[in-house]
């Protein structure tokens, strides 16, 4: 539940608002800032207790790291449809501007949940006003498969968080 890379987008917006003003309109920047209200999902998390078998905040490394880590801990495989993942257009625009991968960016405020009753969980979350989708399912095999349209690939081990890489690059450029 929640939107991917939203936390990372908000941090970049705070640090580079002036720079982003050269690329985006003031109205668009206000829209980006307004999304900050979607970061905390505590009400939704309380509402789903008893309906989930596992839950993990999508932190450092983004959704791809969270999927890997939870599958590894549970010793299960995955079949996930990337096209179902929720990413705000504002986040996509910002990631394109800085050439960042939103699927590998910190997403605190978004939560990965596992359940045996997906439709019930979605109804509860949507009833709380939270963006929520069913990404896929676990499998008995060890394979962690990700599809996106016609493309099928295996999930890789987690890579470095894009926000951290962006911050390192920015610091190096400022030191020059």
């Amino acid at each position: 539940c929640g939107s991917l890379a939203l936390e990372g987008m908000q941090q970049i917006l705070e640090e580079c608002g002036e720079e982003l003003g050269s690329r985006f309109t003031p109205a668009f920047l206000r829209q980006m800032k307004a999304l900050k209200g979607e970061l905390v999902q505590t009400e939704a998390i309380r509402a789903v207790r008893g309906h989930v078998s596992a839950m993990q905040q999508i932190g450092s490394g983004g959704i791809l790291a969270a999927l890997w880590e939870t599958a590894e801990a549970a010793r299960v495989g995955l079949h996930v449809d990337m096209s179902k993942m929720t990413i705000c257009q504002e986040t996509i625009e910002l990631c394109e501007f800085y050439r960042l991968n939103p699927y590998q960016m910190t997403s605190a405020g978004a939560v990965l949940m596992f359940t045996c009753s997906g439709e019930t969980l979605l109804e509860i979350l949507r009833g709380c006003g939270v963006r929520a989708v069913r990404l896929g399912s676990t499998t008995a095999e060890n394979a962690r498969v990700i599809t996106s349209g016609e493309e099928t690939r295996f999930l890789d081990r987690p890579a470095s968080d894009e926000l951290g890489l962006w911050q390192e690059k920015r610091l190096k450029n400022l030191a020059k």
Side-chain angles (χ1 to χ4, degrees):
C1 75
S3 298
L4 299 180
L6 196 54
E7 178 195 23
M9 185 263 290
Q10 290 294 319
Q11 287 187 25
I12 292 171
L13 181 59
E14 281 181 31
E15 289 183 38
C16 297
E18 220 173 279
E19 180 180 346
L20 292 169
S22 69
R23 168 75 163 100
F24 301 108
T25 65
F28 192 75
L29 292 172
R30 281 191 300 276
Q31 282 175 239
M32 291 171 108
K33 288 178 184 174
L35 291 169
K36 191 172 191 170
E38 293 188 26
L39 283 175
V40 180
Q41 308 291 338
T42 51
E43 186 178 313
I45 290 169
R46 279 190 212 114
V48 299
R49 284 197 179 141
H51 296 278
V52 295
S53 52
M55 188 180 328
Q56 178 171 331
Q57 184 172 21
I58 303 171
S60 183
I63 184 66
L64 298 180
L67 288 166
W68 178 275
E69 290 161 4
T70 51
E72 190 77 6
R75 294 188 176 135
V76 296
L78 297 171
H79 189 271
V80 175
D81 184 350
M82 285 187 76
S83 68
K84 305 271 179 156
M85 295 180 184
T86 304
I87 303 178
C88 297
Q89 186 61 37
E90 294 85 351
T91 302
I92 292 169
E93 297 286 334
L94 180 117
C95 286
E96 285 180 0
F97 182 67
Y98 287 112
R99 293 185 171 93
L100 302 171
N101 181 342
Y103 301 102
Q104 291 177 281
M105 185 182 285
T106 185
S107 299
V111 180
L112 182 61
M113 300 178 183
F114 292 82
T115 184
C116 293
S117 51
E119 290 308 312
T120 302
L121 186 63
L122 287 174
E123 285 177 32
I124 293 168
L125 291 167
R126 290 177 182 152
C128 292
V130 173
R131 297 176 197 235
V133 294
R134 182 177 184 270
L135 297 180
S137 59
T138 59
T139 63
E141 301 87 39
N142 196 35
R144 294 162 190 155
V145 179
I146 296 181
T147 60
S148 183
E150 298 292 316
E151 183 184 341
T152 299
R153 67 180 187 91
F154 292 97
L155 184 63
D156 295 324
R157 289 188 178 276
S160 297
D161 186 87
E162 287 285 288
L163 178 63
L165 294 173
W166 176 83
Q167 288 170 329
E168 283 178 29
K169 183 179 176 183
R170 184 164 172 78
L171 285 173
K172 284 180 186 175
N173 288 338
L174 290 173
K176 288 182 181 178

